Amino acid sequence: MKIEVVVDVKTTLGEGPLWDVEQERLYWIDSFDGRVFRATADGREIRCWDVPMKIGSMALRKDGGGAVVSLQRGFHLLDFANGEVTPIHDPEPDRPMNRLNDGKVDRRRRFFAGSMDTMEEGPSGGLYRLDPDFSVTKIDSGIICSNGPCWSPDDRTFYFADTWTGEIWAYDYDIETGAATNRRTFTRVDTSRGGAADGSTVDAEGFLWNALVYDGRLVRYAPDGSVDRIIDMPVKKITSVMFGGPKLDTLYVTSMTKPPLPRFPGDGVLRGSLFAVTGLGVTGVPEPRFAA
């Protein structure tokens, strides 16, 4: 196993690594600075787009010419050609202290994203589904900080975390309708070192990988919720994970330079870097594009 810095751009709050198998390009975001980045698998040909507010997550649109993004105030479209950002829908216009956060696309190409309390204290957030016709459906509520949405390879289980509950949840998932039901505890996260569940992905074997933010560890969970493997990263403030590269065998890991709230720890000179972990012996699954 080898851990390397792919890009050292010092993101304030790096998040959401996304490998597009068609373009063979890696995307990631800086949530606090409102930026979308793109690079090759080895960190070359870097491009960057600015968005007008904090960004929680993104997914490529079906033609690859733009993205659907979850911004502080709702779902928007980003045009890569001219940088224009067009609003779609704000699911929480009455909650100014919330913002949309982590999100991903299911294999019917619907975009799921959750919201969070910006102070990470109150359960004012929700989980939403954006369909190809741009209609929005509320899936769950009572969430403090939405993170880690992903699906089992057979599409029967949806995984999701409210970071400060100390748990990662599993739902029964209906791929035909996009309904997530029967929420239950998938695993309890080891928070004894101050860490909490952040971004997740599922590999081709159906194991879930999670970034323990403020703890600096990657954890691989078996489908029964047991811990299969733990990897110590060079920085504590890791945020999210995604398999990519031409063979889908590189695990990309984002990190932050500055914690969103002062109670969280600092880090060394590698803070904010985009990392690549290779030699793991496992591969990921292709991430779908949004259907519109």
Side-chain angles (χ1 to χ4, degrees), residues 192-215:
S192 62
R193 307 195 329 172
D198 207 328
S200 296
T201 192
V202 173
D203 64 30
E205 297 175 7
F207 287 60
L208 184 143
W209 292 78
N210 179 257
L212 282 183
V213 65
Y214 310 121
D215 188 0

Side-chain angles (χ1 to χ4, degrees), residues 54-269:
K54 292 177 181 177
I55 176 173
S57 52
M58 63 162 287
L60 288 191
R61 301 186 67 183
K62 64 179 181 180
D63 64 359
V68 54
V69 292
S70 62
L71 300 187
Q72 183 170 353
R73 298 268 38 102
F75 294 102
H76 293 68
L77 298 176
L78 168 63
D79 190 316
F80 290 152
N82 56 28
E84 289 185 0
V85 176
T86 305
I88 301 173
H89 179 74
D90 182 358
E92 298 179 341
D94 57 337
R95 299 188 177 183
M97 293 305 294
N98 280 10
R99 68 177 180 89
L100 287 187
N101 200 43
D102 204 0
K104 283 197 181 74
V105 173
D106 76 354
R107 276 173 280 275
R108 286 288 192 276
R109 303 194 172 208
R110 296 168 288 220
F111 186 46
F112 283 67
S115 62
M116 62 175 286
D117 171 21
T118 54
M119 297 305 293
E120 302 186 30
E121 293 175 346
S124 58
L127 173 64
Y128 301 93
R129 185 186 74 230
L130 177 69
D131 287 337
D133 63 359
F134 296 150
S135 62
V136 175
T137 301
K138 192 171 190 177
I139 302 297
D140 208 347
S141 59
I143 297 163
I144 300 172
C145 183
S146 296
N147 266 311
C150 53
W151 289 264
S152 61
D154 64 5
D155 295 319
R156 294 181 179 179
T157 305
F158 173 65
Y159 299 102
F160 183 70
D162 183 347
T163 291
W164 298 113
T165 64
E167 297 180 342
I168 298 174
W169 300 328
Y171 299 69
D172 294 335
Y173 192 67
D174 186 333
I175 188 64
E176 299 302 325
T177 65
T181 57
N182 187 30
R183 188 179 88 185
R184 58 201 179 272
T185 300
F186 167 66
T187 191
R188 297 188 184 278
V189 176
D190 178 9
T191 59
S192 62
R193 307 195 329 172
D198 207 328
S200 296
T201 192
V202 173
D203 64 30
E205 297 175 7
F207 287 60
L208 184 143
W209 292 78
N210 179 257
L212 282 183
V213 65
Y214 310 121
D215 188 0
R217 293 188 295 172
L218 303 176
V219 182
R220 187 191 195 220
Y221 296 98
D224 65 1
S226 61
V227 174
D228 172 76
R229 193 185 313 185
I230 296 176
I231 297 172
D232 288 305
M233 293 295 292
V235 294
K236 295 290 185 185
K237 295 193 295 294
I238 56 173
T239 56
S240 193
V241 291
M242 172 62 62
F243 281 95
K247 298 181 179 179
L248 289 176
D249 58 355
T250 298
L251 187 64
Y252 291 102
V253 184
T254 49
S255 67
M256 67 176 100
T257 58
K258 184 179 180 181
L261 298 172
R263 67 177 182 264
F264 299 125
D267 249 328
V269 295

